[in-house]
Amino acid sequence: MRCYANQLPSELNKGLKPFYLVFGEEPFQEAQCVQQIRDSAKQQGFDEVIKFTLMQGFDWQEIIAQYQSMSLFSARTIIELDLNQQKPGVIGSNTFKKVVELVNPDTILIVKGAKASQEVQRGAWFKALDKQGVFVPCYPLTGSHVKRWLDEQCQRLSLNMQSDAKVSLINATEGNLLACFQELEKLSLLHGNALITQQLVMQGLLNQAKFDIFDLSDALLNGHAKQAIKVLNKLASDNTEVVSILWAITKELNTLISVQLGLLNGEPIANLFKQKAIWKNQQGPVQNAINRLNMHTLEQINSDVALFDASYKQGNLIAPYQALAHICIKFCQPLNIPMPCHAVN
């Protein structure tokens, strides 16, 4: 069953489903939807979360084993599988179909992935999970959709924000929902339900160090390694959350991969800019990156990002900011040094 991101809270109130497919090109919405599922499930006793990321050599039997073994314990469990921008393949598809046959009331399976194309949605494994679960597509938001999203967040946070203040915040964050949401949370903490004016919003933006993340994105797209490391050092000194920096990097990476794939399929660059909601002031930097980074290089960076994500969650990174610097440099120039991680004991 299809359920859009803004409809998910209402759907969860009706009861939990055994399977959730959260797919899309908007990482913040995806993360928010997964968290909403987790929160709702926790209220019903699903206290344990087991996470997997699809990488080379992934053992699909682990999914079956964990799914079946949960019934042996009292804890109700959530299994999260990040497809990491990949398709499950034959083995993965068969695994999903088997899981559907083994439906366990004490286990919820959440599958996360890139935008689910019509080809993916027609797959037997997708249909099997969707039939007994919920498919949540997370599309990039533009124009009136961004404003509607902002209105919903303001309502949820009980924020009384003037219209021109909303416009200023949307323009300043340029479609970055994470940065926009963080600013809304800050305004809520500082001002409660008092009237939020454009002046208050702009004062906050000017003093907000986290918006240096946009500078990092520009440096990466334009291939300015020195500037990227300078910005990263500033973010690290400000104790900017590692996951926020990774989100910014992943957002740009996903955009570049998507555009490169479109170009390889013969689509005009102007059409791709429109389809991917790439703002006019970002089209030049994106074009620079596309000219510099071929598909092979982007896939290498994507593998490093996946390794970082998995290693960070498992606590296997020697120094997260150093590993992020490694990824940033790869955007700008060839780097054949492995990412700094340590082996799991």
Side-chain angles (χ1 to χ4, degrees):
M1 179 188 71
R2 182 187 295 260
C3 170
Y4 294 104
N6 63 335
Q7 300 171 330
L8 183 58
S10 175
E11 182 60 34
L12 290 169
N13 287 335
K14 298 176 184 177
L16 292 171
K17 300 290 185 180
F19 309 114
Y20 289 89
L21 296 154
V22 185
F23 282 67
E25 300 172 294
E26 214 304 306
F28 176 73
Q29 279 194 96
E30 179 185 283
Q32 194 175 48
C33 288
V34 170
Q35 188 60 54
Q36 288 170 354
I37 297 168
R38 280 199 216 109
D39 292 343
S40 182
K42 188 173 182 179
Q43 293 175 5
Q44 299 188 40
F46 289 82
D47 296 320
E48 187 176 6
V49 179
I50 299 174
K51 297 183 179 182
F52 295 98
T53 300
L54 181 57
M55 300 178 68
Q56 187 174 5
F58 181 75
D59 185 2
W60 283 95
Q61 284 302 312
E62 277 291 307
I63 299 293
I64 299 293
Q66 291 291 348
Y67 197 84
Q68 289 181 307
S69 65
M70 290 304 103
S71 61
L72 301 176
F73 301 93
S74 58
R76 308 183 82 185
T77 304
I78 299 171
I79 298 176
E80 289 183 24
L81 173 61
D82 185 350
L83 293 180
N84 190 25
Q85 310 294 317
Q86 302 178 61
K87 295 180 180 179
V90 175
I91 298 176
S93 300
N94 291 336
T95 300
F96 286 136
K97 287 186 281 187
K98 185 172 182 180
V99 165
V100 171
E101 297 172 357
L102 299 170
V103 172
N104 184 345
D106 293 325
T107 305
I108 291 174
L109 174 64
I110 302 174
V111 182
K112 301 186 297 181
K115 179 181 177 181
S117 64
Q118 289 299 314
E119 178 188 358
V120 170
Q121 293 181 47
R122 286 194 293 266
W125 67 272
F126 193 98
K127 288 182 177 180
L129 292 171
D130 185 31
K131 185 176 181 179
Q132 297 192 45
V134 175
F135 166 40
V136 188
C138 298
Y139 300 114
L141 302 183
T142 58
S144 62
H145 296 291
V146 178
K147 187 180 184 306
R148 189 179 303 120
W149 174 86
L150 181 57
D151 289 339
E152 291 169 355
Q153 303 309 312
C154 287
Q155 184 177 8
R156 192 180 73 79
L157 295 169
S158 300
L159 271 175
N160 182 17
M161 184 179 289
Q162 289 182 335
S163 296
D164 56 356
K166 291 179 180 178
V167 171
S168 294
L169 182 56
I170 290 171
N171 290 339
T173 52
E174 297 185 333
N176 186 328
L177 299 189
L178 174 61
C180 188
F181 182 75
Q182 287 177 334
E183 188 63 19
L184 290 174
E185 284 191 316
K186 188 193 74 174
L187 290 168
S188 177
L189 289 171
L190 291 176
H191 305 291
N193 59 1
L195 181 64
I196 307 298
T197 64
Q198 184 184 43
Q199 183 178 6
L200 284 175
V201 169
M202 296 311 296
Q203 286 175 348
L205 292 173
L206 289 171
N207 295 324
Q208 188 54 263
K210 69 172 171 282
F211 287 103
D212 281 345
I213 280 182
F214 296 144
D215 296 327
L216 179 63
S217 295
D218 286 340
L220 295 180
L221 291 175
N222 286 304
H224 298 158
K226 186 175 180 179
Q227 178 65 11
I229 299 305
K230 180 181 178 181
V231 174
L232 185 60
N233 281 332
K234 177 66 165 59
L235 294 172
S237 67
D238 290 337
N239 294 315
T240 304
E241 287 287 343
V242 168
V243 291
S244 296
I245 300 173
L246 184 65
W247 179 89
I249 293 173
T250 302
K251 178 178 179 293
E252 303 304 342
L253 178 62
N254 289 343
T255 296
L256 295 177
I257 290 175
S258 182
V259 172
Q260 278 287 26
L261 286 173
L263 291 173
L264 290 173
N265 288 328
E267 296 185 55
I269 188 69
N271 291 355
L272 293 169
F273 284 154
K274 185 176 181 179
Q275 292 171 17
K276 310 305 176 186
I278 299 172
W279 293 54
K280 194 168 184 178
N281 63 343
Q282 284 296 98
Q283 290 178 7
V286 169
Q287 182 72 69
N288 289 340
I290 290 299
N291 293 341
R292 185 179 70 255
L293 302 168
N294 59 31
M295 200 64 199
H296 176 69
T297 302
L298 291 173
E299 288 173 348
Q300 287 183 326
I301 298 173
N302 193 43
S303 295
D304 280 352
V305 167
L307 177 59
F308 179 98
D309 185 53
S311 299
Y312 183 72
K313 291 173 181 175
Q314 296 166 10
N316 297 328
L317 283 177
I318 297 171
Y321 290 106
Q322 183 180 338
L324 286 171
H326 173 97
I327 293 172
C328 288
I329 291 173
K330 268 199 169 180
F331 265 88
C332 306
Q333 63 190 55
L335 186 65
N336 296 319
I337 304 170
M339 195 163 65
C341 301
H342 63 70
V344 181
N345 293 328

